[in-house]
């Protein structure tokens, strides 16, 4: 929920990123990724490692559907349907109600069983950039092996919203830390640039976290910290390395420290926008969803 950078892997840009993912390292964890990382063999491998995955799928994927748990647009349970004959999703999809959401038990082409969630997304909640045609409703598909008694349909969608933090962290890392593509010519340069940017951003975040208790408990935005605090932190460290002992040096240090604190005050997170509140993308919305018990247990589903 609150992003922490744990490790960094740098791979060849012309090869498939999926092929570079170290599957064996993901033991007892939750793997979240966008539609570009859908790979049925990878899903099965994670399942064997006692790990979970939650990956956004695409409409052209065609698993075989065994049963469906149906929810209304508020996430309230309606009914469970077990299909007498397993049916491919593409054949079943035209028969589904366009304003309901479905939590399906499916079999993938490699024999792996998982859940596929088809979430109804009305046009009022779709971004104009993502909508192919304005005025049309759409769907979002999610593939996961998270047990239904652990997370119901709405909770799965809520936790997936936390993935956006990866995009924000990467933007903070590259956009305001002098990381530019025209400099990335050799692997050694790539490693050096990324590690320096990571160290610089981590230092900014560390210093901002020290000021957080003095800001009335307000949380700070990583992106704003990356934008606003760099020059003041450099000035502060120059004064520390100078080791000046005169009253003028102390006054300059205090003035720079006050300026840095004022800059951190500008980095307070804004209230979630209206569309983020409606879509449940705000961290508070995600936590609220995850704290409640699932709407439907596995025992209820079997009944």
């Amino acid at each position: 929920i609150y992003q922490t950078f744990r490790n960094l892997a740098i791979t060849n840009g012309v090869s498939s990123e999926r092929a570079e993912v170290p599957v064996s390292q993901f033991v007892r964890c939750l793997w979240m990724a966008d539609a570009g990382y859908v790979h049925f063999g990878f899903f099965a491998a994670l399942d064997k490692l006692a790990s979970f995955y939650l990956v956004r799928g695409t409409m052209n994927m065609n698993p075989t559907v065994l049963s469906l748990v149906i929810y209304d647009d508020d996430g309230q349970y309606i009914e469970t349907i077990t299909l007498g004959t397993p049916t491919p999703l593409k054949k079943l999809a035209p028969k589904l109600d366009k304003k309901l959401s479905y939590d399906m038990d499916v079999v993938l082409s490699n024999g792996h069983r998982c859940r596929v969630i088809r979430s109804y997304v009305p046009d009022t909640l779709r971004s104009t950039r993502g909508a192919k045609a304005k005025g049309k409703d759409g769907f979002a598909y999610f593939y996961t092996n998270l047990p239904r008694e652990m997370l119901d349909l709405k909770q799965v969608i809520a936790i997936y919203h936390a993935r956006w933090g990866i995009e924000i962290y990467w933007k903070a890392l590259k956009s305001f830390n002098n990381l530019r593509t025209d400099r990335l010519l050799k692997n050694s340069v790539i490693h050096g640039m990324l590690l320096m940017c990571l160290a610089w951003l981590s230092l900014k975040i560390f210093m901002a976290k020290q000021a957080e208790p003095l800001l009335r408990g307000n949380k700070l935005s990583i992106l704003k910290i990356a934008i606003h605090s760099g020059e003041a932190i450099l000035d502060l460290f120059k004064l520390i390395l100078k080791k000046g002992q005169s009253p003028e040096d102390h006054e300059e240090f205090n003035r720079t420290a006050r300026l840095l604190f004022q800059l951190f005050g500008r980095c307070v997170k804004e209230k979630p926008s209206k569309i983020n509140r409606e879509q449940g993308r705000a961290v508070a919305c995600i936590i609220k969803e995850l704290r409640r018990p699932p709407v439907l247990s596995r025992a209820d589903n079997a009944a």
Side-chain angles (χ1 to χ4, degrees):
I1 299 296
Y2 298 104
Q3 302 85 35
T4 303
F5 202 96
R6 300 301 296 272
N7 54 41
L8 178 67
I10 304 168
T11 59
N12 190 340
V14 298
S15 64
S16 169
E17 291 183 31
R18 289 184 309 195
E20 302 288 350
V21 176
V23 182
S24 59
Q25 295 183 17
F26 298 114
V27 180
R28 300 184 63 82
C29 68
L30 171 62
W31 164 268
M32 286 197 294
D34 208 345
Y37 289 85
V38 173
H39 189 279
F40 294 166
F42 185 48
F43 293 170
L46 284 173
D47 197 62
K48 290 180 180 179
L49 293 171
S51 289
F52 300 112
Y53 56 85
L54 173 52
V55 180
R56 184 159 184 165
T58 56
M59 296 183 68
N60 62 354
M61 299 172 70
N62 194 29
T64 301
V65 181
L66 305 176
S67 64
L68 307 91
V69 183
I70 307 172
Y71 297 84
D72 63 18
D73 56 354
D74 292 324
Q76 297 301 311
Y77 170 74
I78 297 177
E79 65 175 325
T80 300
I81 298 175
T82 300
L83 301 180
T85 303
T87 306
L89 179 57
K90 284 187 178 181
K91 185 176 180 180
L92 184 64
K95 302 176 183 178
L96 301 180
D97 191 317
K98 293 183 178 180
K99 293 193 176 181
L100 297 178
S101 294
Y102 296 85
D103 188 349
M104 298 173 274
D105 291 312
V106 306
V107 178
L108 305 181
S109 57
N110 62 350
H112 177 63
R113 293 195 176 203
C114 65
R115 296 164 65 189
V116 170
I117 290 172
R118 186 175 104 151
S119 174
Y120 168 65
V121 185
D123 181 63
T124 53
L125 298 185
R126 301 177 77 198
S127 65
T128 53
R129 183 179 64 179
K132 289 185 178 179
K134 207 168 184 181
K136 291 187 177 181
D137 297 341
F139 306 97
Y141 287 86
F142 301 94
Y143 284 68
T144 184
N145 64 337
L146 287 161
R148 199 168 283 125
E149 70 269 19
M150 182 184 294
L151 295 174
D152 63 30
L153 178 142
K154 282 194 73 175
Q155 290 172 322
V156 169
I157 296 168
I159 199 171
Y160 184 80
H161 286 152
R163 196 199 65 85
W164 186 243
I166 301 169
E167 308 290 349
I168 296 298
Y169 200 102
W170 176 246
K171 185 174 182 180
L173 184 68
K174 104 181 148 61
S175 300
F176 306 101
N177 290 279
N178 204 27
L179 182 61
R180 297 290 181 267
T181 55
D182 57 346
R183 299 188 180 191
L184 306 182
L185 304 177
K186 299 179 181 179
N187 281 352
S188 58
V189 177
I190 294 172
H191 279 76
M193 290 289 291
L194 277 173
L195 290 174
M196 283 191 294
C197 290
L198 177 59
W200 182 222
L201 178 59
S202 299
L203 178 62
K204 292 179 183 178
I205 294 172
F206 173 78
M207 296 192 68
K209 291 296 181 182
Q210 309 312 304
E212 219 171 45
L214 304 175
L215 297 172
R216 300 179 182 179
N218 290 317
K219 295 293 182 180
L220 299 181
S221 164
I222 290 177
L223 194 56
K224 289 182 179 181
I225 291 168
I227 298 171
H228 296 302
S229 62
E231 291 185 8
I233 291 177
L234 280 176
D235 291 340
L236 196 66
F237 273 85
K238 287 177 183 177
L239 292 171
I240 293 173
L241 294 173
K242 185 180 178 182
K243 297 181 180 179
Q245 299 297 324
S246 67
E248 292 79 9
D249 291 330
H250 283 288
E251 178 57 34
E252 187 178 0
F253 180 87
N254 292 334
R255 185 168 58 252
T256 305
R258 286 194 297 270
L259 173 61
L260 182 59
F261 181 77
Q262 291 172 0
L263 291 173
F264 286 148
R266 295 170 56 187
C267 298
V268 172
K269 284 186 177 181
E270 297 178 0
K271 291 183 178 179
S273 64
K274 181 179 178 182
I275 189 168
N276 281 350
R277 291 196 304 272
E278 289 175 342
Q279 293 188 343
R281 290 179 178 175
V283 172
C285 299
I286 297 171
I287 294 174
K288 182 180 178 182
E289 281 292 332
L290 297 180
R291 278 179 172 168
R292 65 170 177 79
V295 170
L296 187 66
S297 69
R298 179 167 289 180
D300 294 332
N301 184 30

